[in-house]
Amino acid sequence: MKRFSINILTLCALIMPLLADASTYRLEGMVGGKYPIVIELEETQKGLYSGRYAYNLTLKRDGDVACAWLYIKPDRNSPYSEWIITDCKGKVAERWYNVNFIDHQHLTARMKNVKGKVYDIEASIAGQSDAKTPLNSYFKQHLGEYASDFNLLSDSRVAKRFEDFMGILNFDALIEIYQVQVPIEYTKGMFWSYGFMPHQCCDPVAIWAYDTQNNSFYVWIRKNDKDYWWSESGNIPFEFKELVDATF
């Protein structure tokens, strides 16, 4: 019987392709030529995709939260051309068929929802023009000032970002609460401040923070003795939770 051996470097070379990061794609498109959507896909295996998509109007209204998205997975019977779409509770909301992701640039499909209505879907790879500019120097020059001194929440660069991750209604609630303000401070890599309504300290009350390490905003609001959290990065870091606990 012949014995076979394999060099460890050769073995690693064989294994590494299996461990390579999955390709990810962000697309922008339309449903039925009328409703703007954004799609985020991950190619887990060649030609197989999973991910999520959302209507722009829903994200603008509700913010970037889990239930603003619908979730994509390949249909078990026809995984390369049909997708099952579920809501955040796992309930089937739609089925996409005739799915074609051409050259990883342009996606076409037909969608049938639970009411039996059928729509065409078209989407293309999104541009990079929406990249968020870091605001470290911006906040550094306003350290110790009140946000109202330089109209922070009216600044188009800032307001747009808050609307995107909180939703317009929640951002409006933040503005309504954030009236009696404390000057902007700097703690553990974050510029931050809090505020409340006149003669109503401290419910409702709001804290916002800008994280200089990852260029992200966080917001905490307490209203009617309930706590609400938002994060531009998708995660609430321990440092922000610690800051909130130390303040209130």
Side-chain angles (χ1 to χ4, degrees):
M1 179 181 294
K2 293 184 179 180
R3 294 180 179 272
F4 296 92
S5 62
I6 186 167
N7 183 281
I8 188 64
L9 294 178
T10 303
L11 180 61
C12 288
L14 292 172
I15 294 175
M16 285 304 291
L18 300 178
L19 302 179
D21 291 338
S23 298
T24 58
Y25 307 92
R26 183 178 176 87
L27 302 96
E28 295 175 353
M30 302 285 283
V31 172
K34 296 171 59 177
Y35 309 107
I37 59 172
V38 59
I39 303 173
E40 295 179 353
L41 294 177
E42 179 178 72
E43 188 173 23
T44 53
Q45 298 180 40
K46 186 173 178 59
L48 294 180
Y49 303 91
S50 60
R52 61 183 189 169
Y53 94 95
Y55 288 83
N56 292 13
L57 183 61
T58 303
L59 290 175
K60 193 170 185 179
R61 183 190 66 216
D62 299 339
D64 189 355
V65 296
C67 284
W69 294 83
L70 295 166
Y71 295 87
I72 297 167
K73 64 179 181 180
D75 183 277
R76 183 177 301 176
N77 297 320
S78 303
Y80 294 97
S81 61
E82 297 186 21
W83 293 346
I84 295 175
I85 314 297
T86 58
D87 61 20
C88 63
K89 296 180 180 179
K91 183 178 179 180
V92 175
E94 302 166 358
R95 291 182 180 273
W96 291 16
Y97 53 96
N98 295 344
V99 177
N100 192 5
F101 193 13
I102 305 166
D103 297 327
H104 292 147
Q105 295 291 321
H106 187 69
L107 183 142
T108 60
R110 301 207 87 186
M111 177 262 280
K112 185 175 184 179
N113 63 25
V114 291
K115 295 181 179 180
K117 293 185 177 181
V118 177
Y119 299 93
D120 288 321
I121 294 175
E122 290 198 27
S124 298
I125 292 294
Q128 300 300 315
S129 59
D130 60 348
K132 299 177 178 67
T133 303
L135 299 171
N136 298 22
S137 59
Y138 173 75
F139 280 109
K140 188 175 182 180
Q141 71 183 24
H142 293 297
L143 183 62
E145 297 181 21
Y146 294 92
S148 57
D149 291 342
F150 57 101
N151 299 315
L152 170 67
L153 297 181
S154 298
D155 186 310
S156 59
R157 296 173 299 172
V158 175
K160 176 65 166 60
R161 291 175 63 166
F162 272 90
E163 287 180 354
D164 285 348
F165 78 90
M166 292 186 72
I168 290 178
L169 295 180
N170 293 324
F171 181 49
D172 287 345
L174 170 63
I175 293 172
E176 182 181 9
I177 294 169
Y178 189 62
Q179 295 183 40
V180 180
Q181 306 169 5
V182 301
I184 293 173
E185 300 182 37
Y186 181 79
T187 305
K188 295 184 177 180
M190 293 181 290
F191 292 98
W192 66 282
S193 174
Y194 74 85
F196 50 90
M197 300 176 74
H199 314 297
Q200 296 188 43
C201 184
C202 288
D203 186 345
V205 62
I207 295 179
W208 63 264
Y210 173 75
D211 192 335
T212 60
Q213 302 300 311
N214 65 4
N215 185 24
S216 290
F217 282 102
Y218 313 119
V219 174
W220 169 82
I221 289 177
R222 174 171 290 162
K223 187 172 183 180
N224 298 326
D225 205 32
K226 291 184 178 180
D227 292 349
Y228 303 91
W229 304 81
W230 291 269
S231 169
E232 190 175 21
S233 65
N235 299 307
I236 305 293
F238 173 77
E239 290 79 6
F240 182 60
K241 292 181 180 179
E242 191 176 51
L243 186 153
V244 171
D245 289 341
T247 307
F248 293 99

